């Protein structure tokens, strides 16, 4: 199996490395919004609901731009769209630094950074085009970039107490100019997609070897296509709610439960480490086993994590960090892989699915922010996370059972026709 790593194009691995570096730098903004929410609220004299609105506006614009991004890629090419996305992201970070004004913060982070969403779909499309044997692994490795950044950045900012959210934004702005833009320009080759699509290419004429795919017969595919799209869309919406809950409110949840700062820092580092570990593990299993079963297990683990978070036990920060971290980065790639395997759309559904994911993020951020402002508690938010994760777990499992039953019926029909 190890030899199959070399069956992928060299340009594919170079491109993945370039995108990974971009994702790693993006962790600075993610960390700032998650760890410094209270400090941002105090410095700018704004409520957590206002911060949630800025976050939600960012996600809404990102979702809309994700749909637009597919059209832009077809018209102008992946490299130009990614480069423009990076420029907008860097500009948004720079605008936030212009002054201590809520409106400036909202415009910079909520609006301009949201426009960078035109590049949200391209990474998934590129992974599907570049990789044939290790798609799940490649997606998982790419998703791990932000987590590696989180695991490294958290202890640095916690141990150096004088660093603030503005320092994180300054670092993000500088790295965007010095590293992100050059890496995209040099690392993403415009010829890559042509190489993958060129019928004379060695990779193009290779027979794709699916990694333990879901068996799809014509009858079962017709029967299950719409239901599975609905389930995956709701699953990504749920993942978005989970993401909005954790990215925006996890530190605040722990602070409200009077968890010590050292425990919060430890749990955040564990979260980042487990995201990396989980992405590799889930990528390995998604390439080899039934994806519907794996996704059902994934959301089942999330239920356990949110249940511990809801109970606020002494072990809750660590247990949640492990349970949620190990599943965090695989829900979106797993869902897209499931859809791609049934519909064989090569990423054409990615924009729509990411729209649902971003919509869930908006809902999670708003529920968390306004729940605290009105009830001084995040319990309602955590309860919502538990309920929708239960629904997704059941949805994936029912689809698996339905699909297996459809395959069994089809096999019986084939056997009966053969006997005749």
């Amino acid at each position: 199996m190890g030899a199959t790593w070399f069956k992928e194009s060299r340009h594919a691995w170079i491109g993945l490395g370039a995108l990974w570096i971009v994702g790693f730098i993006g962790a600075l903004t993610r960390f700032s919004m998650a760890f410094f929410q209270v400090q941002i609220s105090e410095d700018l004299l704004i409520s957590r609901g206002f911060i949630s609105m800025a976050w939600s506006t960012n996600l809404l614009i990102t979702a809309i731009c994700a749909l637009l991004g597919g059209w832009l890629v077809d018209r102008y090419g992946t490299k130009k769209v990614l480069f423009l996305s990076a420029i907008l992201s860097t500009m948004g970070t720079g605008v936030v630094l212009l002054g201590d004004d809520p409106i400036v913060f909202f415009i910079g982070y909520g609006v301009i950074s949201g426009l960078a969403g035109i590049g949200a779909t391209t990474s998934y499309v590129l992974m599907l085009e570049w990789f044939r044997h290790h798609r799940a692994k490649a997606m998982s490795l790419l998703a791990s970039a932000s987590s590696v950044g989180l695991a490294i950045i958290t202890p640095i900012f916690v141990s150096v107490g004088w660093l603030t959210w503005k320092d994180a934004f300054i670092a993000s702005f500088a790295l965007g100019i010095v590293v992100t833009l050059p890496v995209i320009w040099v690392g993403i080759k415009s010829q890559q997609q042509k190489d993958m699509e060129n019928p004379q290419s060695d990779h193009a004429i290779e027979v794709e070897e699916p990694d333990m795919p879901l068996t799809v017969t014509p009858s079962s595919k017709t029967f299950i296509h719409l239901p599975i799209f609905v389930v995956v869309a709701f699953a990504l919406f749920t993942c978005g709610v989970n993401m909005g809950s954790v990215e925006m409110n996890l530190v605040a949840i722990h602070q409200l439960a009077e968890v010590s700062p050292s425990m919060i820092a430890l749990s955040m580092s564990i979260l980042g480490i487990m995201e990396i570990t989980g992405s590799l593990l889930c990528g390995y299993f998604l390439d080899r086993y039934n994806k519907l079963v794996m996704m059902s297990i994934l959301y089942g683990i999330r239920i356990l994590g949110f249940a511990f978070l809801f109970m606020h036990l002494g072990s809750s920060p660590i247990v949640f960090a492990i349970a949620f971290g190990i599943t965090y980065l695989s829900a979106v790639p797993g869902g897209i892989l499931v859809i791609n395997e049934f519909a064989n759309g090569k990423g054409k559904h990615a924009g729509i699915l990411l729209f649902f994911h971003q919509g869930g993020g908006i809902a999670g951020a708003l529920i968390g922010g306004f729940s605290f402002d009105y009830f001084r508690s995040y319990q309602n938010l955590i309860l919502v996370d538990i309920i929708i994760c239960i629904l997704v777990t059941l949805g994936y499992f029912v689809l698996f059972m339905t699909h297996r039953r459809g395959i069994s019926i089809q096999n019986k029909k084939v056997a009966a026709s053969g006997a005749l």
Side-chain angles (χ1 to χ4, degrees):
M1 292 298 295
T4 62
W5 288 89
F6 301 103
K7 292 182 180 180
E8 307 292 1
S9 166
R10 177 173 60 89
H11 293 298
W13 294 112
I14 294 174
L16 174 60
L19 292 176
W20 193 94
I21 293 173
V22 173
F24 179 87
I25 294 174
L28 273 165
T29 304
R30 173 190 174 190
F31 169 80
S32 300
M33 297 300 293
F35 194 81
F36 290 115
Q37 182 180 172
V38 175
Q39 187 181 109
I40 293 173
S41 176
E42 293 174 351
D43 289 350
L44 300 181
L45 300 178
I46 55 179
S47 68
R48 298 186 193 184
F50 183 90
I51 297 176
S52 296
M53 283 293 295
W55 175 281
S56 299
T57 302
N58 177 291
L59 293 182
L60 176 60
I61 295 176
T62 297
I64 295 172
C65 288
L67 297 175
L68 176 64
W71 177 81
L72 291 174
V73 166
D74 291 338
R75 189 174 180 85
Y76 300 105
T78 304
K79 182 174 181 176
K80 292 181 180 179
V81 174
L82 282 174
F83 196 74
L84 178 60
S85 173
I87 291 176
L88 290 169
S89 178
T90 304
M91 285 178 57
T93 305
V95 169
V96 170
L97 298 170
L98 290 178
D100 296 327
D101 187 277
I103 300 302
V104 173
F105 175 83
F106 186 90
I107 292 174
Y109 181 78
V111 179
I112 299 178
S113 293
L115 293 173
I118 58 173
T121 308
T122 54
S123 296
Y124 293 104
V125 174
L126 287 173
M127 292 302 99
L128 292 173
E129 290 179 346
W130 291 347
F131 291 88
R132 293 176 175 272
H133 305 280
H134 301 284
R135 286 173 175 169
K137 298 184 190 70
M139 287 183 176
S140 297
L141 286 171
L142 178 58
S144 72
S146 179
S147 300
V148 174
L150 183 65
I152 293 175
I153 293 168
T154 298
I156 293 176
F157 273 77
V158 171
S159 61
V160 184
W162 53 267
L163 291 174
T164 68
W165 63 275
K166 284 192 174 181
D167 295 316
F169 272 88
I170 290 173
S172 178
F173 178 72
L175 289 172
I177 295 176
V178 177
V179 179
T180 299
L181 295 178
V183 163
I184 292 177
W185 191 256
V186 175
I188 306 298
K189 302 295 184 182
S190 58
Q191 186 65 26
Q192 286 176 308
Q193 183 172 346
K194 294 180 181 180
D195 289 341
M196 294 300 298
E197 295 173 348
N198 185 0
Q200 301 302 320
S201 169
D202 292 338
H203 295 285
I205 62 176
E206 266 185 18
V207 178
E208 184 172 343
E209 299 176 9
D211 299 313
M212 296 297 291
L214 298 169
T215 305
V216 181
T217 64
S219 61
S220 65
K221 182 174 180 177
T222 302
F223 174 75
I224 203 171
H225 186 192
L226 180 59
I228 203 169
F229 188 85
V230 171
V231 170
V232 171
F234 181 70
L236 265 63
F237 176 84
T238 297
C239 181
V241 175
N242 299 158
M243 179 268 291
S245 303
V246 173
E247 297 285 315
M248 281 296 299
N249 305 299
L250 181 59
V251 173
I253 290 172
H254 289 327
Q255 290 172 337
L256 194 63
E258 299 183 351
V259 178
S260 67
S262 60
M263 176 61 77
I264 294 176
L266 176 61
S267 66
M268 292 293 288
S269 294
I270 291 176
L271 178 65
I273 293 171
M274 293 310 299
E275 286 177 6
I276 302 164
T277 304
S279 69
L280 298 176
L281 286 175
C282 291
Y284 176 87
F285 286 112
L286 282 170
D287 276 337
R288 285 164 173 76
Y289 300 102
N290 189 288
K291 292 176 175 59
L292 294 175
V293 173
M294 294 307 304
M295 297 306 293
S296 184
I297 293 173
L298 184 149
Y299 281 92
I301 295 173
R302 285 195 180 187
I303 295 171
L304 175 64
F306 279 110
F308 268 86
L309 187 63
F310 184 84
M311 292 185 288
H312 298 295
L313 303 175
S315 60
S316 290
I318 302 300
V319 174
F320 178 79
I322 295 173
F324 187 77
I326 205 169
T327 66
Y328 181 67
L329 297 178
S330 300
V332 175
I336 291 176
L337 286 171
V338 168
I339 288 295
N340 181 71
E341 200 158 276
F342 276 101
N344 197 29
K346 297 297 182 184
K348 70 179 180 181
H349 299 298
I352 299 175
L353 292 174
L354 288 178
F355 185 85
F356 280 98
H357 183 259
Q358 299 298 85
I362 294 171
L366 290 178
I367 293 172
F370 289 109
S371 176
F372 179 83
D373 286 342
Y374 284 99
F375 302 105
R376 316 308 293 181
S377 169
Y378 293 101
Q379 291 298 88
N380 292 333
L381 172 65
I382 301 173
L383 188 61
V384 168
D385 283 307
I386 293 174
I387 293 173
I388 58 179
C389 281
I390 291 174
L391 294 176
V392 173
T393 301
L394 293 175
Y396 271 124
F397 185 73
V398 169
L399 281 177
F400 165 70
M401 296 301 294
T402 303
H403 178 257
R404 189 172 69 171
R405 185 163 52 250
I407 294 298
S408 177
I409 293 174
Q410 182 68 18
N411 290 339
K412 290 180 180 178
K413 289 182 178 179
V414 171
S417 61
L420 294 176

